[in-house]
Amino acid sequence: MLDQIYAKKSVRPNILLAVYNAPWIKTHIIEPFRTLNADLTIINLRGINPLEGAFNKESQAVMTKERFYDLIFVVEGRDKDIEMETLKRFKNSGAVLINYLVDTPQDWWRSIKISQIFDYVLSAQTENCQRLKNKYNEVLFFPFAISDEFFHKIRPPKEEDYLANARNPITFLGSAHSRWRWHFVNQLSRIAEPLTVVGSGWNGKSRNGEQASTIQSSVKRLLKKMEEHGGISFRSQWTRIWGGEASAVLGGIINAVSQQSYAPLENVQLPGFLNDGELNELLLQSAAIVSTSMHGSGYLAGHPRMQFKLRDIELSAYGIPHLVNRTPDTIMCLGDDAFYYHGFDELRSCLNMVRNDPKLAYQRAKVVRTIIQNNHLWSNRFSQIAKLTKLNISQ
């Protein structure tokens, strides 16, 4: 019956794009989707009760035949954001449902239930493909991609210009969000002189107060997870821990940790906030760019995790040697010519190679940029989506 109702579909596919608010999503997902030959509806997935949100309302419109969608593309759809019945309405209408999971690897459990309803679950990390594998649909590795516009706006230096900048500073890009990250940059400054550090929190960072706030926020997140999965009241646990004797004990721990001052950063330039144009100019004049894939839980325990990140793709598009953590995903996506490190000995070796043979370093960076162009732009990803969905969504 539904086939008869929707037999006459528009030549231009109707796409519902459900996302959450983040600058990178606007640049590297929303704007690319706007270039498609499709009728696009964009809604915010988070920040409201699922039953009252726009996603559920769109499913009601589909149910009453006021609306029809060929493709429902959800970015980071989580169990708490979407009702199962909402997804079933879309599915029964004949739409293809895709959930694109891009968050930190350890958050895969947030999407277990609803992932069984989607036709395809696309994961930006290979480890989550195995974790979410089920008998109901396909779970596929779908690496991060950057917008075609972003890529083509970058004007990599010519070889002679790069060689002239070969003694320029190394640039580290990343925020000062943890003690481990501070330690990493402190160590990096000893082997990458001169070093420029760009990211939030490095200028005027309050070492004691911010570290205490970080620990408190981590405890809060932990208790929130307990509430979501164990039915334990977040409010009661928060009050119990931060009230009375428990408050004094935990407060003492926080104070002890936060009083351990960070080692001062030496030989480091801190330019502060840079707009997009200023950051772009700085990166293109760098001898090399360093980033780290360490992220997520484990900082307080001293065991930060690695993850494949959008930045691994984004920074590799500049045609400047980009030093990244060696992970299965980065090796798979960036190829043999990328600069990989695991630990400071390898990081030092990579930096020495860049300094001692800038011509070869430039050539390798150029190869990696070509890999990005051929494999990791959204035009590449849309071709993959078209094959999966059998929809004509050419740009």
Side-chain angles (χ1 to χ4, degrees), residues 53-90:
F55 195 66
N56 186 58
K57 291 178 180 178
E58 288 297 318
S59 76
Q60 296 283 1
V62 165
M63 193 71 176
T64 58
K65 308 181 185 64
E66 297 174 35
R67 202 102 72 250
F68 174 80
Y69 291 108
D70 298 283
L71 172 62
I72 312 295
F73 194 96
V74 178
V75 177
E76 203 62 37
R78 305 181 301 186
D79 294 343
K80 71 174 185 177
D81 297 322
I82 303 175
E83 293 289 325
M84 298 285 278
E85 290 303 315
T86 300
L87 288 176
K88 289 177 181 178
R89 291 190 201 104
F90 283 125

Side-chain angles (χ1 to χ4, degrees), residues 302-322:
H303 300 289
R305 292 175 54 98
M306 283 191 185
Q307 74 166 92
F308 180 46
K309 302 168 70 174
L310 172 65
R311 187 164 286 168
D312 296 328
I313 299 294
E314 196 176 39
L315 295 180
S316 297
Y318 277 82
I320 299 294
H322 176 210

Side-chain angles (χ1 to χ4, degrees), residues 2-3 6 9 16 55 58-60 62-63 68-72 83-99 114-121 134 136-138:
L2 283 171
D3 290 339
Y6 297 121
K9 295 183 181 180
L16 177 62
F55 195 66
E58 288 297 318
S59 76
Q60 296 283 1
V62 165
M63 193 71 176
F68 174 80
Y69 291 108
D70 298 283
L71 172 62
I72 312 295
E83 293 289 325
M84 298 285 278
E85 290 303 315
T86 300
L87 288 176
K88 289 177 181 178
R89 291 190 201 104
F90 283 125
K91 198 174 185 72
N92 290 337
S93 74
V96 178
L97 276 62
I98 294 178
N99 193 12
I114 62 170
S115 289
Q116 299 176 14
I117 303 294
F118 285 89
D119 296 293
Y120 300 97
V121 176
N134 63 80
Y136 302 102
N137 54 28
E138 289 192 68

Side-chain angles (χ1 to χ4, degrees), residues 177-227:
H177 58 52
S178 70
R179 180 174 296 277
W180 184 91
R181 180 66 66 83
W182 189 280
H183 173 71
F184 177 89
V185 170
N186 184 47
Q187 292 291 103
L188 178 62
S189 68
R190 300 168 189 266
I191 61 176
E193 185 180 350
L195 175 67
T196 299
V197 176
V198 181
S200 62
W202 298 106
N203 285 327
K205 181 179 175 67
S206 174
R207 299 175 184 176
N208 294 347
E210 185 153 329
Q211 186 68 9
S213 176
T214 298
I215 297 173
Q216 184 171 347
S217 298
S218 298
V219 173
K220 188 174 180 179
R221 288 196 301 270
L222 174 62
L223 294 176
K224 189 66 176 175
K225 289 184 180 181
M226 290 167 61
E227 179 183 355

Side-chain angles (χ1 to χ4, degrees), residues 224-276:
K224 189 66 176 175
K225 289 184 180 181
M226 290 167 61
E227 179 183 355
E228 291 174 356
H229 287 268
I232 303 172
S233 169
F234 165 70
R235 184 179 296 275
S236 64
Q237 292 296 320
W238 184 243
T239 302
R240 181 177 67 82
I241 288 183
W242 289 104
E245 295 182 0
S247 176
V249 172
L250 190 54
I253 296 173
I254 292 174
N255 185 63
V257 174
S258 63
Q259 291 297 327
Q260 299 174 21
S261 61
Y262 296 143
L265 298 178
E266 300 176 356
N267 305 316
V268 173
Q269 301 175 29
L270 300 171
F273 173 79
L274 300 176
N275 62 37
D276 291 345

